[in-house]
């Protein structure tokens, strides 16, 4: 996730590779992990470039491997499915709600921490909130939401996000129920923001409505979950 106050550009595969390779942005990286990260970056970026140019279904895995100058078996060692070449950009967002809850300030409730984090993302026009009108991000989102197999694969990522959040909350039945509702609200809010921007409105124009919708969503969560 973009952490500066500037409007973000599209997140590169390199940004996600730290997590996918088991790395930490603040920890030293071995030469092996550095090479692995660079391979993730090269393969994912080559694939997404081709997908944006020609469409997801019209690009073969063999073409992606050739563009990245690796073999097909090597590609599949990094990305088990073709869809993962795109959704790799979401890798470090899978456990983001869980990390927010685990790292919240003393005395801050899980919902308060998640609300604060989401509103901060809206203010920064973070792509993960859907409130980003950078052309490259819009193109990526059109690719993602316009390809049924990618949308289906995205739900698997969100399912893992839900499971991680449930564990951070305590992993009891009530925690799993809460996690499911929280992840659903975040997904719907972000999708609504993207849909409004895809209709031609700017992120600045949508911002006020996005904040209001987020506040409504968290009020509903709080009244329904008692957290």
């Amino acid at each position: 996730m973009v952490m500066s106050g500037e409007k973000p550009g599209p997140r590169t595969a390199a940004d996600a590779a730290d997590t996918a390779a088991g790395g930490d942005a603040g920890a030293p990286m071995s030469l092996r992990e550095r090479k692995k990260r660079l391979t993730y970056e090269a393969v994912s970026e080559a694939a997404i470039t081709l997908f944006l140019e020609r469409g997801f279904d019209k690009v073969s895995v063999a073409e992606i491997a050739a563009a990245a100058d690796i073999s097909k078996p090597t590609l599949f060692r990094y990305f088990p499915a073709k869809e993962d070449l795109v959704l790799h950009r979401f890798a470090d967002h899978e456990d983001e709600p869980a990390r927010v809850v685990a790292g919240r300030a003393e005395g801050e409730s899980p919902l308060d921490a998640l609300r604060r984090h989401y509103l901060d993302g809206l203010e920064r026009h973070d792509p993960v909130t859907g409130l980003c009108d950078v052309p490259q991000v819009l193109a990526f989102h059109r690719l993602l939401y316009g390809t049924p197999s990618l949308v289906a694969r995205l739900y698997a990522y969100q399912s893992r996000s839900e499971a991680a959040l449930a564990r951070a909350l305590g992993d009891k039945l009530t925690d799993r129920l809460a996690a499911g509702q929280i992840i659903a609200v975040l997904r719907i809010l972000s999708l609504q923001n993207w849909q409004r921007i895809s209709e031609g409105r700017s992120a600045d124009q949508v911002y006020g409505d996005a904040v209001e919708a987020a506040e409504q969503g968290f009020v509903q969560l709080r009244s329904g979950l008692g957290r």
Side-chain angles (χ1 to χ4, degrees):
M1 175 170 289
V2 178
M3 298 304 294
S4 71
E6 300 175 356
K7 286 189 178 182
R11 198 177 70 86
T12 67
D15 298 324
D18 280 336
T19 300
D24 186 303
M29 187 182 297
S30 68
L31 178 61
R32 179 181 178 185
E33 292 301 329
R34 176 64 179 168
K35 288 181 177 179
K36 190 173 182 179
R37 170 178 175 165
L38 291 174
T39 301
Y40 270 112
E41 177 182 5
V43 177
S44 181
E45 291 303 316
I48 291 172
T49 297
L50 290 172
F51 294 152
L52 290 175
E53 289 175 352
R54 294 161 49 193
F56 182 81
D57 295 324
K58 294 182 179 180
V59 178
S60 70
V61 172
E63 289 174 304
I64 297 167
D69 197 25
I70 59 173
S71 67
K72 283 178 62 176
T74 298
L75 186 150
F76 282 121
R77 283 201 297 271
Y78 286 92
F79 300 95
K82 183 180 175 183
E83 289 79 10
D84 292 329
L85 288 157
V86 176
L87 293 172
H88 176 59
R89 288 191 174 185
F90 288 88
D92 65 347
H93 293 301
E94 275 191 26
D95 65 346
E96 186 170 301
R99 284 186 278 112
V100 170
V101 168
R104 69 189 187 277
E106 184 177 355
E108 187 177 33
S109 74
L111 270 185
D112 284 342
L114 290 165
R115 170 186 169 275
R116 171 181 50 77
H117 183 77
Y118 190 77
L119 292 175
D120 180 63
L122 290 178
E123 185 176 1
R124 290 182 286 104
H125 294 181
D126 192 319
V128 77
T129 67
L131 191 69
C132 184
D133 54 11
V134 174
Q136 300 97 316
V137 174
L138 286 175
F140 177 80
H141 283 163
R142 282 194 294 268
L143 169 69
L144 174 63
Y145 293 118
T147 308
S149 63
L150 291 176
V151 173
R153 193 75 169 181
L154 179 59
Y155 278 101
Y157 276 68
Q158 291 169 336
S159 178
R160 290 193 290 271
S161 180
E162 178 184 316
L165 178 57
R167 290 192 294 272
L169 293 171
D171 215 20
K172 299 187 294 294
L173 174 60
T174 53
D175 300 317
R176 294 193 293 272
L177 292 171
Q181 293 175 73
I182 290 167
I183 295 301
V185 166
L186 295 176
R187 174 182 61 80
I188 292 167
L189 289 172
S190 298
L191 180 58
Q192 178 173 272
N193 292 337
W194 173 76
Q195 288 173 333
R196 289 177 173 175
I197 288 177
S198 69
E199 293 168 356
R201 299 175 65 185
S202 71
D204 288 336
Q205 289 172 330
V206 175
Y207 176 73
D209 290 340
V211 170
E212 182 179 355
E215 294 287 18
Q216 291 174 349
F218 279 96
V219 166
Q220 185 168 322
L221 283 170
R222 193 180 307 281
S223 62
L225 301 177
R227 288 180 176 271

